[in-house]
Amino acid sequence: MTATPYPFTALVGMADLRLALLLNAVSPAVGGVLVRGEKGTAKSTAVRALAALLPGIDVVADCRFSCDPAAPDPGCPDGPHEPGSGTVRPARMVELPVGASEDRLVGALDIERALSDGVKAFEPGLLADAHRGVLYVDEVNLLHDHLIDLLLDAAAMGASYVEREGVSVRHAARFLLVGTMNPEEGELRPQLLDRFGLTVEVAASRDTDERVEVVRRRLAYDEDPAGFAARWADEEGTLRERVAAARALLRQVRLSDGALRQIAAVCAAFEVDGMRADIVTARTATALAAWAGRTEVTTEDVRQAALLSLPHRRRRAPFDAPGLDEDKLDEVLRETGGGDDEPDPGPGPEGRDEQDGPGGPDGPGGPGGPDGPGGGQPPQGAPEQSPPSAGSSVPEQRTGPDGSNGPEGSNSSDSQVSDATDEGVGGAAAGGPGGERAAVGAAEPFRTRRLDVPGLGEGAAGRRSRARTAHGRTTGARRPRSTLSKLHLSATIRAAAPHQRSRGRQGPGLVVRRDDLREAVREGREGNLVLFVVDASGSMAARKRMSAVKGAVLSLLLDAYQRRDKVGLITFRGAEAALALPPTSSVDAGAARLEKLPTGGRTPLAAGLLKAHEVLRIERLRDPSRRPLLVVVTDGRATGGPDPVARAGRAARLLADDGVASVVVDCEAGPVRLGLAGALAHELRGTPVTLDELRADSMTALVRDARGTNTARTVRETRTVSVRGTWRAA
């Protein structure tokens, strides 16, 4: 970031984003802002510009925790401080990197000094730096879950706690929390979404004039940042004074019983969980009144507050898009007394319906535009593109033996009938070139068994496969590889004990050297790369099974969302395979691509497996610590080209030789089964699983793994599928 930030008042458009940020500047108790939007929409630029508008703060000189000299924190690690005069400095903008460690966020204790000298030597983290300022988390959806939990807990309590092996440090941590994210890269969990006070959707403007103005201002800023900022200094000063005035007026704003009843009615009508939505909406409505220079909350304040505080709390399931029905909102407000005469909402260039900022439509804060910076967005609460519907299902029809069940790659008449069926020739269901059929909806998703990768990994924290992680159960001890954060106390004492006499120990204290320190080795769970290879050929559609197959893949995608996996989607049909979804953390994107998946044509199984091999090779270079799990969804047939079965076998062995863990979901149906998917699983050195066995509540697995064991043991051992071997205990 340059030394001179882009001026907030020079942003083009983005009325909702500017308003949400300013409301948090007026009342940090609102709880922060989550900015959702596509790449290149000036999310980061807007947040960084906010810090310059915040009033300066009085701090105790030489206090690393920014204590207020008028009311110093009695528990400050640098204290105690005597109340008195201090120094004034600007409010800080602190950025939390995606790859930050827990110690970098909350601070680190010097365990060596704590053990040997009994001194709480504490190195402050980013939470201490952000106290009484702004903490900005770019790409918050990519941050590790445990860091998000620590961050949001500190924001809610106004304090940060650091505890290491019985040594505890606490310090104040009150800050304006702002997170930005691109939904294409993955969603936040609903419970984490709820912890952000407000949410704003941003998107690039499609208006040519607005885009021209965005580019013009950005180029002028890049050419001379200081000169550009100077041209907007007057507007920045005016807005800064308004923020300070609104802060001073905030305590005088009255939230009437009528307005409070409207807030409760709106939150109840939209069935939001818990009471946090009611509290945030009330605080936001109060801040809106103060921002408009009023001391009474109006119905319009309640309406605008609900549009900012409720959409992300309406997300009921992982594949649901955030949004709010504005017509329903207006109806609820009318029913609870929204038609009474109310005070004028007052002026405000940052208001929701305001189009012109200072200086008219072409001046500062004028019409919205995209990045650079700028970026208009659809009306707050407008729904995003609908995700796949789980309820639109087509029942699976089991068929008897037909030509399509013929041996793969043979020249028999049965095989010729199979090929004709693959291509959709002569059938009423055929549609489009090459027998392509329209996409069918997915069947109702279900809870699946856990598929995990064997062995012990060291990938990103998640909930699927066993791995060495920073959090989990302690399994051993080792010398620290870097800064010590997780002390293994007993191992440290055992390492130091034999040397106490030679070190001249006097008294009860333990003489500990750095070489004695041992850190705990912990085992938890990691997230994996789950790569789906889905058969979309005519043989899948001919038997009316694609709806059930899509339901199964949707269920596995839901499981991947819950276990913090990355996902990718490869489909094969006709003459080739295609990467429908490159590996991403956005499981929602995978569900959307799956819903639109057409079917028809031959079955190029080898092409699908070779495409998977190439994708996994590239991902191994990008993220070598994330282990892959290959999920092939097919009936095992292979048609098209010379010797398709042999080529598929060679492709499968190529994946197996690379050590890729795999599972084959067998989609074959009907009374006569050829077992081709099982043969494919054998070549992959993976595990075949039928659609029925994929369900967590399936009883078929009890028979499948009998092998002479008693029923009670089988029930216990069939909770988890090990993708390379037999069923194993959960």
Side-chain angles (χ1 to χ4, degrees):
M1 184 174 66
T2 61
T4 304
Y6 193 95
F8 191 88
T9 50
L11 295 170
V12 181
M14 298 196 301
D16 281 342
L17 174 57
R18 290 183 294 153
L19 178 61
L21 292 173
L22 289 169
L23 291 177
N24 273 271
V26 170
S27 175
V30 165
V33 185
L34 176 64
V35 187
R36 297 164 44 91
E38 59 194 26
K39 54 186 176 293
T41 47
K43 300 185 295 292
S44 300
T45 301
V47 175
R48 294 182 179 119
L50 177 68
L53 300 178
L54 300 179
I57 58 174
D58 291 327
V59 297
V60 174
D62 300 325
C63 177
R64 298 174 297 169
F65 301 88
S66 303
C67 282
D68 186 348
D73 180 10
C76 176
D78 284 356
H81 303 300
E82 293 294 333
S85 61
T87 61
V88 179
R89 66 161 176 79
R92 290 172 178 161
M93 161 72 75
V94 177
E95 295 192 35
L96 174 63
V98 170
S101 64
E102 181 179 333
D103 285 346
R104 185 72 185 96
L105 176 63
V106 300
L109 284 168
D110 190 331
I111 302 297
E112 182 180 3
R113 292 190 62 190
L115 289 177
S116 58
D117 303 333
V119 176
K120 293 183 180 179
F122 180 67
E123 184 65 29
L126 294 176
L127 292 180
D129 293 341
H131 180 46
R132 304 175 67 195
V134 180
L135 181 60
Y136 171 45
V137 188
D138 193 14
E139 306 293 353
V140 65
N141 51 325
L142 303 182
L143 202 63
H144 289 308
D145 287 344
H146 73 281
L147 291 182
I148 296 178
D149 291 335
L150 290 171
L151 178 64
L152 296 179
D153 285 344
M157 296 186 297
S160 174
Y161 295 85
V162 183
E163 297 192 11
R164 298 287 187 272
E165 302 298 335
V167 181
S168 177
V169 173
R170 172 210 166 275
H171 66 82
R174 292 183 295 275
F175 47 82
L176 194 165
L177 176 63
V178 183
T180 57
M181 59 174 284
N182 182 352
E184 294 178 356
E185 297 173 341
E187 285 285 358
L188 278 174
R189 289 178 289 161
Q191 59 268 41
L192 297 180
L193 282 172
D194 184 58
R195 299 295 291 273
F196 282 93
L198 309 180
T199 186
V200 176
E201 300 280 343
V202 295
S205 171
R206 299 298 183 257
D207 183 86
T208 302
D209 292 337
E210 293 176 356
R211 298 177 76 99
V212 167
E213 183 63 22
V214 167
V215 176
R216 181 182 293 118
R217 294 186 187 183
R218 184 70 211 194
L219 292 178
Y221 170 76
D222 291 340
E223 183 177 350
D224 182 11
F228 183 84
R231 293 197 292 272
W232 294 84
D234 291 342
E235 288 80 5
E236 290 282 288
T238 300
L239 193 56
R240 190 180 299 110
E241 291 173 0
R242 188 176 174 191
V243 170
R247 278 189 171 187
L249 183 63
L250 185 63
R251 295 189 178 184
Q252 303 176 34
V253 176
R254 177 177 173 269
L255 182 66
S256 65
D257 288 342
L260 193 56
R261 183 168 293 276
Q262 285 183 320
I263 292 171
V266 167
C267 293
F270 284 101
E271 300 179 348
V272 295
D273 296 330
M275 297 299 298
R276 184 176 284 117
D278 303 62
I279 296 171
V280 171
T281 305
R283 289 172 174 167
T284 306
T286 303
L288 278 163
W291 178 246
R294 291 182 273 101
T295 58
E296 189 79 19
V297 173
T298 68
T299 296
E300 181 59 27
D301 292 332
V302 175
R303 182 182 190 277
Q304 200 162 10
L307 289 171
L308 291 171
S309 63
L310 297 187
H312 58 304
R313 295 183 168 90
R314 288 282 301 145
R315 184 179 170 91
R316 315 301 294 183
F319 301 141
D320 291 345
L324 203 67
D325 186 341
E326 294 195 38
D327 292 336
K328 181 178 179 180
L329 173 61
D330 293 335
E331 180 183 350
V332 174
L333 291 174
R334 284 194 301 269
E335 291 175 353
T336 52
D340 299 336
D341 293 335
E342 296 178 334
D344 184 80
E350 309 303 330
R352 177 178 174 77
D353 298 323
E354 183 65 31
Q355 298 298 324
D356 303 338
D362 296 325
D371 190 26
Q377 68 273 2
Q380 179 65 32
E384 296 177 348
Q385 183 176 354
S386 298
S389 170
S392 58
S393 62
V394 178
E396 178 180 355
Q397 296 184 6
R398 297 178 178 268
T399 62
D402 54 26
S404 61
N405 281 332
E408 299 299 323
S410 69
N411 295 322
S412 66
S413 59
D414 284 347
S415 178
Q416 294 171 5
V417 174
S418 299
D419 295 344
T421 303
D422 266 356
E423 295 177 359
V425 176
E436 179 176 313
R437 295 161 172 79
V440 299
E444 190 72 23
F446 50 84
R447 186 169 65 90
T448 67
R449 297 179 184 275
R450 189 183 74 219
L451 310 175
D452 61 3
V453 179
L456 192 64
E458 294 185 353
R463 297 186 177 182
R464 184 171 297 279
S465 305
R466 294 176 55 224
R468 293 188 179 92
T469 59
H471 300 271
R473 63 186 181 89
T474 301
T475 59
R478 66 185 177 193
R479 293 181 182 272
R481 296 179 176 178
S482 57
T483 302
L484 177 66
S485 59
K486 304 291 184 183
L487 177 71
H488 196 296
L489 185 57
S490 61
T492 299
I493 293 175
R494 287 197 302 270
H499 308 289
Q500 295 307 295
R501 178 175 298 179
S502 62
R503 293 173 182 174
R505 172 187 171 188
Q506 299 292 331
L510 187 68
V511 181
V512 179
R513 303 281 173 82
R514 183 165 297 277
D515 289 343
D516 301 328
L517 298 179
R518 298 292 184 270
E519 68 179 3
V521 176
R522 300 174 184 266
E523 182 178 314
R525 296 252 168 209
E526 67 177 358
N528 298 110
L529 167 59
V530 182
L531 182 62
F532 294 93
V533 180
V534 180
D535 185 348
S537 66
S539 65
M540 302 289 286
R543 299 164 188 159
K544 307 297 183 183
R545 287 184 276 118
M546 186 49 70
S547 176
V549 168
K550 284 187 175 183
V553 178
L554 190 64
S555 304
L556 289 168
L557 282 170
L558 178 60
D559 182 69
Y561 168 85
Q562 295 169 340
R563 301 191 187 281
R564 316 291 182 262
D565 294 317
K566 289 180 67 175
V567 297
L569 177 62
I570 293 173
T571 63
F572 58 94
R573 54 179 291 272
E576 61 184 12
L579 180 60
L581 179 70
T584 175
S585 297
S586 178
V587 178
D588 299 55
R593 303 289 174 88
L594 178 70
E595 181 71 6
K596 300 175 182 178
L597 179 64
T599 58
R602 293 181 180 271
T603 312
L605 177 58
L609 297 176
L610 290 174
K611 174 65 74 172
H613 181 267
E614 177 65 15
V615 170
L616 293 178
R617 183 187 66 81
I618 295 173
E619 287 301 310
R620 192 178 297 114
L621 297 175
R622 292 176 177 171
D623 189 358
S625 64
R626 188 181 289 269
R627 297 187 296 164
L629 171 60
L630 181 69
V631 179
V632 184
V633 184
T634 181
D635 57 7
R637 299 179 68 244
T639 60
D643 205 2
V645 177
R647 287 192 294 114
R650 288 193 294 270
R653 288 190 290 274
L654 191 63
L655 286 162
D657 291 342
D658 280 352
V660 177
S662 60
V663 59
V664 178
V665 180
D666 186 357
C667 302
E668 192 174 25
V672 177
R673 297 174 183 255
L674 302 179
L676 300 174
L680 174 62
H682 177 75
E683 296 290 350
L684 286 168
R685 300 174 203 160
T687 300
V689 180
T690 67
L691 288 175
D692 186 41
E693 291 170 341
L694 193 62
R695 295 177 179 270
D697 56 356
S698 172
M699 297 299 293
T700 306
L702 301 181
V703 178
R704 183 175 184 272
D705 194 47
R707 296 181 184 177
T709 59
N710 59 61
T711 303
R713 179 181 176 186
T714 305
V715 171
R716 185 174 63 254
E717 292 182 349
T718 56
R719 299 304 303 166
T720 301
V721 179
S722 175
V723 300
R724 191 177 297 171
T726 59
W727 302 94
R728 68 171 183 80

